[in-house]
Amino acid sequence: MPACLNNPSLGNHDFVHLEDVRLHYVASGQEGKPLMLLLHGFPEFWFSWRYQIPEFKKDYRVVAVDMRGYGDSGKPGKKKDYAIGNLSKDIYQLIQALGYKKCVLVGHDWGGAVAWNFAYSYTDMVEKLVIVNSPHPISFAKYLRTHFSQLKKSWYMMFFQVPFVPEFMFSMNDFAAFEAISKSLRNNPPSDDEVEAYKYAFSQPGALTGPINYYRAAFSKQTKYERAAKLKVPTLVIWGEPDKYLETNLAHEAKNYVENMTVKIIPDSSHFVLLDRPKEVNAAVREFLKDK
């Protein structure tokens, strides 16, 4: 295991047994402080938040979780196990298992999609919501139908519907795909040890199929996003641009579904802005959280 995954400054590793899956998480900050729950995206794991954990552990009990199918968390084998309702239910049970009734919820990419849905499904459990480069799921579906430019960027979502082949492609040449992704971080490229951490996490048995099943389940009938009135939870949307996968207009489209929303665009960055421009991301989150 790469040494960076056991860095004590990032917190303590632990597990929680939920109704139908065991989740691994890393917790930092004093117990009893308000909970900040961090949900990573694809292809990431809890380590995605290595620049946010030290920043916010002074004021929060910061918990970075490996979502189901990722890292050291359980990896259910069926596509339907990764429907958005199951992913949101994991967060509901996790918050309670940690001894809390609510949290500041922060999600990037797929973690953002889960955070959006969770905030609608369990509104009272979200004090504030922070979304990083993740479109509102309902606005995204509409946007895809009317913007061919975004449809082209989303080609990989269609490719992921193919059985077995995506997993094989990611594992080729000693998981070289993760080195390629790291090169997109123009301002803050990862160290060799950090790249090895991603390779290590995704080379475990079943560690590719679970994450790709998020996309497969999203196209199935099991996945239904909450369609409620405008979300009342105060929301910050952070958007790194240029994003190779998502158009910046999607950040603003979410305003149609949220009562109180702020958008922070961080230029000269990437889809992985939390890694690429962590100081700017942390400053935006801190500014948002200090407003009552």
Side-chain angles (χ1 to χ4, degrees), residues 7 12 28 63 77 91 125 132 147 191 211 229 235 264 279-280:
N7 183 345
N12 299 316
S28 190
V63 173
I91 306 309
M125 298 182 76
V132 185
H147 293 78
S191 66
T235 301
K264 173 67 175 179
K279 290 182 180 179
E280 290 88 340

Side-chain angles (χ1 to χ4, degrees), residues 124-175:
D124 293 342
M125 298 182 76
V126 184
E127 186 174 354
K128 287 194 172 185
L129 179 65
V130 179
I131 302 292
V132 185
N133 280 69
S134 182
H136 189 284
I138 298 175
S139 66
F140 185 47
K142 292 181 178 179
Y143 197 87
L144 275 174
R145 290 195 294 268
T146 55
H147 293 78
F148 183 67
S149 55
Q150 179 57 57
L151 189 62
K152 288 194 298 183
K153 287 187 174 184
S154 302
W155 67 269
Y156 64 95
M157 297 183 186
M158 313 307 170
F159 172 61
F160 285 169
Q161 305 309 306
V162 179
F164 310 118
V165 178
E167 289 92 326
F168 174 74
M169 296 292 288
F170 267 98
S171 65
M172 287 178 59
N173 300 321
D174 188 29
F175 295 84

Side-chain angles (χ1 to χ4, degrees), residues 15-256:
F15 293 87
V16 60
H17 292 263
L18 305 182
E19 186 176 308
D20 61 354
V21 70
R22 185 181 80 155
L23 296 184
H24 165 257
Y25 65 90
V26 174
S28 190
Q30 185 178 331
E31 293 187 38
K33 288 187 175 181
L35 175 64
M36 176 182 283
L37 188 57
L38 307 176
L39 310 181
H40 63 80
F42 175 90
E44 299 279 337
F45 63 120
W46 74 266
F47 191 57
S48 306
W49 303 103
R50 56 190 178 275
Y51 297 111
Q52 285 69 50
I53 295 170
E55 171 67 23
F56 294 103
K57 68 180 182 181
K58 296 169 284 187
D59 304 305
Y60 292 88
R61 177 67 169 172
V62 182
V63 173
V65 62
D66 278 335
M67 307 277 279
R68 68 161 61 193
Y70 282 88
D72 290 324
S73 287
K75 299 170 177 59
K78 298 179 180 178
K79 180 175 67 175
K80 67 179 182 180
D81 294 325
Y82 297 89
I84 196 71
N86 292 329
L87 302 174
S88 295
K89 189 176 179 182
D90 286 349
I91 306 309
Y92 170 74
Q93 294 180 11
L94 174 61
I95 292 170
Q96 294 181 314
L98 292 171
Y100 287 87
K101 295 182 178 179
K102 61 174 54 181
C103 70
V104 171
L105 188 60
V106 186
H108 170 246
D109 185 76
W110 253 110
V114 175
W116 277 123
N117 195 74
F118 182 84
Y120 280 102
S121 302
Y122 306 97
T123 303
D124 293 342
M125 298 182 76
V126 184
E127 186 174 354
K128 287 194 172 185
L129 179 65
V130 179
I131 302 292
V132 185
N133 280 69
S134 182
H136 189 284
I138 298 175
S139 66
F140 185 47
K142 292 181 178 179
Y143 197 87
L144 275 174
R145 290 195 294 268
T146 55
H147 293 78
F148 183 67
S149 55
Q150 179 57 57
L151 189 62
K152 288 194 298 183
K153 287 187 174 184
S154 302
W155 67 269
Y156 64 95
M157 297 183 186
M158 313 307 170
F159 172 61
F160 285 169
Q161 305 309 306
V162 179
F164 310 118
V165 178
E167 289 92 326
F168 174 74
M169 296 292 288
F170 267 98
S171 65
M172 287 178 59
N173 300 321
D174 188 29
F175 295 84
F178 293 96
E179 294 182 37
I181 291 170
S182 70
K183 291 179 181 178
S184 68
L185 304 179
R186 299 177 298 177
N187 298 287
N188 193 24
S191 66
D192 291 343
D193 194 44
E194 289 170 339
V195 173
E196 288 302 313
Y198 285 87
K199 289 184 177 183
Y200 172 82
F202 285 93
S203 64
Q204 304 305 308
L208 284 170
T209 297
I212 294 173
N213 272 342
Y214 279 58
Y215 293 92
R216 292 169 177 151
F219 283 79
S220 71
K221 294 181 180 179
Q222 285 91 7
T223 287
K224 294 181 180 179
Y225 292 95
E226 288 294 321
R227 295 176 180 267
K230 281 194 172 183
L231 184 65
K232 299 183 184 300
V233 176
T235 301
L236 169 66
V237 173
I238 298 174
W239 207 271
E241 67 170 6
D243 187 325
K244 293 180 180 179
Y245 314 102
L246 298 166
E247 295 188 354
T248 303
N249 286 342
L250 285 164
H252 303 285
E253 289 288 320
K255 286 186 175 180
N256 296 321

